[in-house]
Amino acid sequence: MIHLNKGKPFPLGSSLTSQGVNFSLIATNAEYVEILLFEREDSIFPKSIFKLDQTHNKGPYWHAEIKNLNEGCIYAFRVKQKNNGINNNYEKKVLLDPCSRGITGWGSYKRENSLKTHENTNSCLKSVVCDRKLFNFKDYPRPKHSWEETIIYELHIKAFTESTDRDESCFKKFLKKIPYLKELGITTIELLPIFCFDPTDAPNGLKNFWGYSPINWFTPHFEYLSNESAEENREEFRRFVEECHKADIEVILDVVYNHTSEGDSKGPAISWKGIDENLYYFIGKDKNYQDVSGCGNTIAANRGLVRKLIIESLKCWASELGVDGFRFDLGIALSRGENLSPLDNPPIFEDIECEPELIDIKFISEPWDCGGLYKLGDFPSKNTFTWNGHFRDDLRRFWKGDKDTAWNMSDKIKGSPSIYKEDNIFPKSINFITSHDGFTLKDLVTFNRKHNFANREQNRDGDNHNNSWNHGEEGPTTNLLINDLRKRQQKNLILSLLISRGVPMILMGDEIGRSQGGNNNSWCQNNLLGWMNWEHGHQDLELLEYFKYVIKIRKELINIFNPPFFPKNKTNENIPTYHWHGTKLDNPDWSSWSHTVAFSINKGITNPLVWIGLNAYSKSINFPLPKCKYNWLKVIDTSMSKIFEPLTIDEKFVSIKSRSSLLIISEEVFGAKNNLF
């Protein structure tokens, strides 16, 4: 026998009690709320409907406890809006619980039946009651890598594992790839969105592959899991995080809180829209959805009840599922207030910083949105690191040979102080050359133009400003000189990334020369174009070994290349200091026509520990070396195809071939040649 009790307004969503399940929903404009219980995931009618009257309403919360229900119970909501013109009335729509930790019904789901004029009971998604047990941090503690030692590897969980064993889920297959990532040397993985999303949210008969269109902020996406049950999906994800923690690898999620899959006013009502659209979304007086996401709607993260849901989501992933960090997609959009006005002190970031459960969590954000707001060094959160798009652009332009790039290159190497201002503390810069959004590293040196025709938008989608260079021919070529130059440029770029201050991020597959055929927006390419290539015969193994080598050097020299802070007292002889050179010592060339950067990092003023020369010019150039107390050792020369044993340099000058780089270290750094190698 099922009985209905008054219940409690907290916790939000569905939660197990000693007698059954408590349900709590935020719906500020509801006349009444219905809880629908279903027998099975494919049930076309509910087995029971409980209508909540005003005795189950306290403030914005609608709540009830239904006795004799258990974990695995399948449910949904329907909401009748008050007749006051605030919200459209979607009372025929069966709606997902915004806080549900499990989602089912994909076999019968039809997106078109969630549109305004359709009744969708026989084709709706449904929520599942799940336990909220906490992650086992005692046995699988967070790695807690410091920011200065962090090296991020951005990947799509399905693309990274798809070309391997098809009989297992993505998260299970990933476990077999952990040794590969450990050998590569990264410390942290950043997963493209794994919030549950609608694969049919795509035009032109395509499928959404990347998942930047969530239907829920609490549930892992069904296509990446075994789907034995909602709770087993959560356990499977926990095991994935546990194994990453065992391997000392952090897990960061790319999260989308700035918009949802429900689109604009003509889009489907799947969850938030049917419950309380004027609460969750920015909607103008003309009833049109306001949009700075480029996806039809923008979440009103300035409002307290919406912020509460976002915080609960972050805590779910961090405390229940063990995630170590979050990267906010279009994160600056969360700083907008009413009518999309930017806020100087957006409350969402204050709430995050005040939440004790999130104190050990890493936060990263895109500092831009599609409405033109861009805050990089002045991002309105003191604990959030930002994707440094200027770093990407300046490194690309320097190695492409553009004018007016030498000084900008030096600025990015030393941590972008022109942007982040406080050069005495560690810069909150996520440095990258490539990311999921744009060309791969191989394509960056292979194509002058994007080639996105496979996306069925006549090549209109994707960025037209890529700062790429094909080095003489568009696309793949049999010209050995061009291929050699392209390989060298990839090495130059990755060396420049890994000797720079800040937090480096590497894109999945760049280390093996993965190409997308010039597609710089592969959001819908669930095929070989978008997948990682695991066949050695199609991998650039020379480049892979180079990546491992440079990462190892960065780790060993972390206190030189990436110290945690630079105290203002720079007369201390133990403080690393940059000394800029050119074709003459201490005489850098910052002119518009300069294509070279040379510098040493010294212990104090006069004791150089490393020297780096970057030559993006079309000819070889000689550089003098600063006097070193010990021998200089050449450890990297990108003009050479293979890694070599450290070479002692006896001369006072070195020659850097055209479009090549040198890394030279002092024997003092390790005391002997072979300590690193």
Side-chain angles (χ1 to χ4, degrees):
M1 188 70 177
I2 296 178
H3 297 281
L4 187 68
N5 292 337
K6 186 176 181 180
K8 300 182 298 183
F10 194 79
L12 293 173
S14 59
S15 55
L16 296 170
T17 70
S18 60
Q19 298 188 74
V21 175
N22 189 79
F23 297 89
S24 177
L25 177 71
I26 295 173
T28 62
N29 194 60
E31 182 176 315
Y32 62 80
V33 170
E34 292 179 328
I35 302 174
L36 285 62
L37 303 182
F38 295 87
E39 189 72 40
R40 301 182 310 275
E41 64 176 277
D42 58 353
S43 295
I44 61 174
F45 299 108
K47 66 178 182 179
S48 304
I49 300 176
F50 295 87
K51 183 176 179 179
L52 307 186
D53 58 23
Q54 292 300 317
T55 63
H56 294 273
N57 175 221
K58 184 177 293 184
Y61 303 99
W62 293 81
H63 49 85
E65 181 188 40
I66 303 180
K67 298 175 68 174
N68 300 321
L69 295 184
N70 300 303
E71 181 181 347
C73 170
I74 299 172
Y75 71 101
F77 293 115
R78 280 198 299 237
V79 178
K80 174 70 164 66
Q81 301 293 330
K82 294 176 181 177
N83 187 23
N84 55 12
I86 292 178
N87 287 335
N88 288 302
N89 192 21
Y90 297 94
E91 61 182 310
K92 292 184 179 181
K93 297 301 180 193
V94 179
L95 304 168
L96 281 175
D97 179 358
C99 292
S100 63
R101 280 138 168 91
I103 295 174
T104 191
W106 289 102
S108 58
Y109 169 68
K110 293 181 180 178
R111 183 176 178 86
E112 60 269 24
N113 286 354
S114 296
L115 296 171
K116 193 169 185 178
T117 57
H118 291 79
E119 197 276 336
N120 70 330
T121 309
N122 64 350
S123 58
C124 64
L125 296 173
K126 308 170 183 74
S127 299
V128 183
V129 176
C130 295
D131 189 6
R132 299 190 181 196
K133 74 176 185 180
L134 299 180
F135 186 83
N136 181 7
F137 288 110
K138 180 179 178 182
D139 294 330
Y140 305 98
R142 299 191 190 281
K144 292 186 180 179
H145 295 296
S146 66
W147 277 113
E148 57 266 22
E149 67 182 355
T150 298
I151 301 175
I152 298 172
Y153 187 87
E154 188 196 31
L155 65 92
H156 184 288
I157 190 66
K158 195 167 191 284
F160 190 67
T161 58
E162 184 60 30
S163 57
T164 57
D165 189 351
R166 299 291 181 91
D167 295 330
E168 290 186 301
S169 71
C170 298
F171 285 112
K172 287 183 177 179
K173 288 188 288 187
F174 179 87
L175 303 184
K176 300 174 184 177
K177 302 302 181 185
I178 288 177
Y180 171 86
L181 295 173
K182 288 295 293 180
E183 188 177 350
L184 182 60
I186 59 94
T187 67
T188 306
I189 57 172
E190 182 175 304
L191 302 182
L192 265 66
I194 63 164
F195 286 0
C196 207
F197 65 92
D198 182 357
T200 64
D201 183 7
N204 304 320
L206 298 167
K207 289 292 183 72
N208 192 321
F209 183 47
W210 279 356
Y212 285 92
S213 55
I215 59 169
N216 176 273
W217 294 333
F218 292 77
T219 306
H221 186 59
F222 73 103
E223 290 181 308
Y224 305 155
L225 297 153
S226 299
N227 290 307
E228 295 173 14
S229 69
E231 186 53 46
E232 181 53 38
N233 282 349
R234 284 164 61 81
E235 283 299 319
E236 187 175 321
F237 183 80
R238 284 192 189 99
R239 287 193 290 272
F240 155 76
V241 177
E242 288 170 359
E243 292 301 313
C244 288
H245 285 188
K246 278 174 62 177
D248 204 31
I249 293 175
E250 295 174 313
V251 178
I252 291 177
L253 302 186
D254 190 340
V255 291
V256 184
Y257 293 116
N258 65 84
H259 74 278
T260 76
S261 183
E262 293 184 309
D264 58 18
S265 58
K266 297 179 182 179
I270 299 170
S271 180
W272 302 274
K273 179 184 287 186
I275 294 168
D276 204 340
E277 61 181 337
N278 257 286
L279 169 66
Y280 289 110
Y281 299 114
F282 287 119
I283 300 176
K285 292 180 179 180
D286 58 2
K287 301 298 183 181
N288 289 322
Y289 279 50
Q290 298 173 331
D291 177 22
V292 292
S293 71
C295 298
N297 62 62
T298 300
I299 288 290
N302 63 312
R303 298 170 185 164
L305 292 171
V306 181
R307 301 200 308 272
K308 187 170 189 63
L309 196 65
I310 293 173
I311 296 295
E312 288 299 306
S313 168
L314 292 170
K315 288 162 61 176
C316 168
W317 289 98
S319 299
E320 297 175 25
L321 299 174
V323 164
D324 304 297
F326 302 94
R327 177 265 191 190
F328 297 117
D329 172 66
L330 301 182
I332 198 63
L334 302 177
S335 74
R336 291 185 181 266
E338 299 307 314
N339 293 314
L340 301 178
S341 298
L343 303 175
D344 292 333
N345 297 295
I348 181 62
F349 295 113
E350 290 186 2
D351 289 358
I352 290 170
E353 290 168 3
C354 292
E355 179 53 56
E357 284 187 49
L358 303 176
I359 200 69
D360 290 326
I361 297 301
K362 286 181 172 174
F363 289 102
I364 299 169
S365 183
E366 276 186 315
W368 53 78
D369 65 19
C370 295
L373 190 59
Y374 196 154
K375 291 194 173 185
L376 188 52
D378 57 345
F379 191 85
S381 169
K382 62 183 180 181
N383 294 334
T384 300
F385 280 53
T386 48
W387 271 27
N388 189 346
H390 292 291
F391 181 96
R392 171 200 60 207
D393 297 341
D394 287 344
L395 263 68
R396 289 183 179 191
R397 291 183 63 242
F398 175 82
W399 283 112
K400 187 160 73 78
D402 286 359
K403 293 182 178 180
D404 298 303
T405 57
W407 187 91
N408 288 334
M409 184 71 169
S410 71
D411 179 70
K412 302 309 172 290
I413 288 170
K414 60 186 179 182
S416 303
S418 67
I419 296 171
Y420 293 95
K421 306 303 180 185
E422 297 179 281
D423 63 357
N424 62 306
I425 64 173
F426 190 75
K428 296 183 177 66
S429 175
I430 303 298
N431 298 336
F432 66 103
I433 301 162
T434 57
S435 69
H436 69 277
D437 208 3
F439 281 141
T440 67
L441 185 64
K442 178 69 174 291
D443 288 352
L444 184 67
V445 299
T446 306
F447 296 92
N448 282 351
R449 304 176 302 279
K450 65 184 183 183
H451 296 264
N452 295 358
F453 290 98
N455 298 352
R456 302 181 189 175
E457 295 185 46
Q458 289 77 50
N459 209 35
R460 292 192 302 268
D461 65 306
D463 198 343
N464 292 314
H465 307 287
N466 297 286
N467 291 310
S468 61
W469 179 29
N470 65 20
H471 296 87
E473 293 184 22
E474 186 74 356
T477 180
T478 57
N479 186 308
L480 296 180
L481 291 177
I482 291 177
N483 285 332
D484 178 68
L485 179 54
R486 288 173 175 176
K487 176 77 68 67
R488 197 156 73 244
Q489 290 283 59
Q490 291 175 76
K491 291 181 177 181
N492 291 332
L493 285 160
I494 199 62
L495 177 64
S496 302
L497 170 67
L498 289 168
I499 53 92
S500 296
R501 285 197 82 206
V503 180
M505 185 183 77
I506 298 166
L507 173 63
M508 173 192 87
D510 277 356
E511 74 278 9
I512 49 101
R514 186 178 77 90
S515 172
Q516 294 180 166
N519 191 316
N520 73 351
N521 187 31
S522 62
W523 69 276
C524 56
Q525 299 301 327
N526 182 15
N527 49 50
L528 290 172
L529 196 69
W531 296 346
M532 179 71 169
N533 189 342
W534 291 106
E535 296 182 16
H536 281 190
H538 295 98
Q539 292 183 335
D540 189 333
L541 298 181
E542 176 191 326
L543 190 62
L544 176 60
E545 291 306 308
Y546 176 80
F547 262 80
K548 294 176 185 177
Y549 186 58
V550 180
I551 289 172
K552 183 177 181 181
I553 290 175
R554 177 183 174 87
K555 285 183 166 183
E556 293 290 343
L557 303 182
I558 196 68
N559 289 325
I560 297 174
F561 289 132
N562 212 34
F565 62 93
F566 280 145
K568 292 182 178 179
N569 178 17
K570 296 185 178 181
T571 59
N572 188 323
E573 66 175 11
N574 293 315
I575 298 171
T577 56
Y578 290 96
H579 292 258
W580 301 95
H581 309 293
T583 54
K584 296 180 180 179
L585 288 176
D586 300 311
N587 189 21
D589 184 359
W590 305 131
S591 62
S592 64
W593 54 82
S594 174
H595 300 291
T596 63
V597 170
F599 65 99
S600 58
I601 302 178
N602 293 15
K603 181 180 179 181
I605 302 298
T606 60
N607 186 13
L609 302 178
V610 301
W611 183 92
I612 297 165
L614 311 174
N615 179 17
Y617 191 50
S618 58
K619 297 179 181 179
S620 298
I621 297 180
N622 292 327
F623 292 87
L625 292 176
K627 187 175 181 180
C628 180
K629 292 182 180 180
Y630 299 81
N631 288 329
W632 280 121
L633 301 174
K634 182 165 71 171
V635 295
I636 289 178
D637 183 345
T638 60
S639 70
M640 302 177 70
S641 61
K642 295 189 181 298
I643 297 170
F644 51 84
E645 290 290 321
L647 301 173
T648 300
I649 299 176
D650 297 321
E651 296 82 7
K652 295 181 180 180
F653 285 80
V654 290
S655 177
I656 306 181
K657 293 185 178 179
S658 68
R659 301 190 174 97
S660 299
S661 308
L662 288 186
L663 171 59
I664 299 172
I665 66 171
S666 165
E667 269 194 345
E668 179 191 1
V669 173
F670 299 105
K673 279 187 182 181
N674 298 318
N675 280 16
L676 172 62
F677 309 97

